[in-house]
Amino acid sequence: MVFKSGKQQANADALSRLPLQTMMGDIPIPKDTVFFVALDRSNTAVSVKQICEWTSKDVVLSLVRSAVKQGNWSIVPDNPEISQFRRRENELSLQDDCVLWGNRVVVPQVGREAVMGILHEGHPGASCMKSLARGVVWWPGMDSDLDAKVKQC
């Protein structure tokens, strides 16, 4: 570094000369940062093994998983719970015995409360929770479940 006096600096802007009113330690951390730090705790994560076990015990998802694995939806009974998945049959796949819709993990009934708890850490609000959830998980009625979770808070 070489010192240059102010007269020799041609492009000094106003902000480089503006004194700070507060110390750097007093600047608040944005809410999004706190939320993502809260999500990053490994003890709250849901593992692939858990999703797989829950899927095996879930009556509907175990049937859906069998239909996807065999590529044969005629083995699945036609009922309202299955129809949500049948409509998406060309978009469903399996990864490590977990059902995926596109790139989103289909969460079995028993694991939904745990997933919503993780999404709700940091109290981000309904729209942020939905936005985060839509990138990684799905289940029928997910949006209304997330709204209900926020209203309980």
Side-chain angles (χ1 to χ4, degrees), residues 49-88:
K49 183 179 178 184
Q50 283 178 303
I51 296 285
C52 184
E53 288 173 6
W54 292 338
T55 300
S56 296
K57 294 175 184 174
D58 189 284
V59 176
V60 172
L61 273 182
S62 61
L63 288 171
V64 169
R65 181 171 64 184
S66 296
V68 171
K69 190 179 282 188
Q70 295 177 20
N72 181 8
W73 283 82
S74 64
I75 64 171
V76 180
D78 193 18
N79 67 42
E81 291 178 321
I82 301 282
S83 68
Q84 293 281 337
F85 298 97
R86 191 181 290 273
R87 277 187 249 142
R88 296 168 171 85

Side-chain angles (χ1 to χ4, degrees), residues 91-104:
E91 302 167 46
L92 296 173
S93 63
L94 296 178
Q95 178 69 40
D96 298 325
D97 265 354
C98 297
V99 180
L100 302 178
W101 176 43
N103 63 344
R104 299 160 68 174

Side-chain angles (χ1 to χ4, degrees), residues 4-6 9-20:
K4 287 186 177 183
S5 67
Q9 296 178 10
N11 293 329
D13 64 340
L15 294 178
S16 67
R17 305 265 188 237
L18 187 65
L20 291 176

Side-chain angles (χ1 to χ4, degrees), residues 35 104 119 124-137 142-148 150:
F35 176 66
R104 299 160 68 174
L119 291 167
S127 60
C128 186
M129 279 177 65
K130 288 178 190 177
S131 177
L132 287 169
R134 288 176 185 148
V136 291
V137 295
M142 181 178 76
D143 284 355
S144 59
D145 289 352
L146 292 173
D147 285 332
V150 170

